[in-house]
Amino acid sequence: MGKKADSYGTSFMIKIAIAIMASGALITLFTWLPLKIAGIAVFTFGFFGAHSIASSWVGQQAGEQRVQASSLYLLSYYLGSSLAGSFGGFFWTHFEWPGIISFIAGLLLIAYPVIFFAGKGAREAEAKKQLKPFSKNADI
């Protein structure tokens, strides 16, 4: 998915990966075991696609502070996984598997506006980078 992100844009491909995750999660709601297994495989593909694109996106946007940005990304990743895993227990206890899938779907829906704002910030930063050389030449 990384090459696709280079071609079609990081923000767009993360949204595609999240849609793949959502469809995989929904497929697991079927009772036939081969469909459940296929749903888990589809979800996993989307998850690792989104994670790898997001991780590289952080490094691209951080510039000289790549190490710190990657560190904060991984901290947020693991902290979010821990919190979501803990809250997922509530959904499992009260609503079983459909509750877990609803919880996951809610988290995935939250991701879309976050990606929108991250993409907007990335576009603004890129525009500033492109304007910088021109402002230096204006002083000459």
Side-chain angles (χ1 to χ4, degrees):
M1 291 189 92
K3 287 190 181 206
K4 297 286 186 198
D6 292 339
S7 300
Y8 299 107
T10 307
S11 176
F12 177 73
M13 286 310 298
I14 289 179
K15 289 175 187 173
I16 294 295
I18 289 173
I20 292 170
M21 288 172 64
S23 60
L26 292 175
I27 291 170
T28 66
L29 291 172
F30 289 100
T31 56
W32 193 45
L33 184 60
L35 275 179
K36 284 192 180 292
I37 293 169
I40 291 169
V42 169
F43 182 89
T44 303
F45 176 78
F47 171 80
F48 282 110
H51 173 57
S52 64
I53 293 169
S55 180
S56 69
W57 195 14
V58 166
Q60 290 170 357
Q61 296 305 310
E64 294 179 14
Q65 291 83 26
R66 277 191 193 123
V67 174
Q68 292 88 346
S70 293
S71 162
L72 285 173
Y73 171 79
L74 288 173
L75 174 68
S76 300
Y77 170 80
Y78 286 112
L79 184 61
S81 296
S82 298
L83 292 173
S86 298
F87 290 132
F90 170 81
F91 286 88
W92 173 256
T93 302
H94 295 288
F95 308 108
E96 296 180 342
W97 191 249
I100 293 291
I101 299 304
S102 299
F103 177 59
I104 289 170
L107 292 174
L108 294 176
L109 285 174
I110 291 169
Y112 272 98
V114 170
I115 293 164
F116 173 77
F117 288 113
K120 184 178 177 184
R123 286 187 297 275
E124 289 173 0
E126 188 63 33
K128 284 182 183 178
K129 282 182 191 176
Q130 290 176 351
L131 290 177
K132 223 174 195 179
F134 295 115
S135 62
K136 285 182 183 178
N137 292 338
D139 294 337
I140 296 176

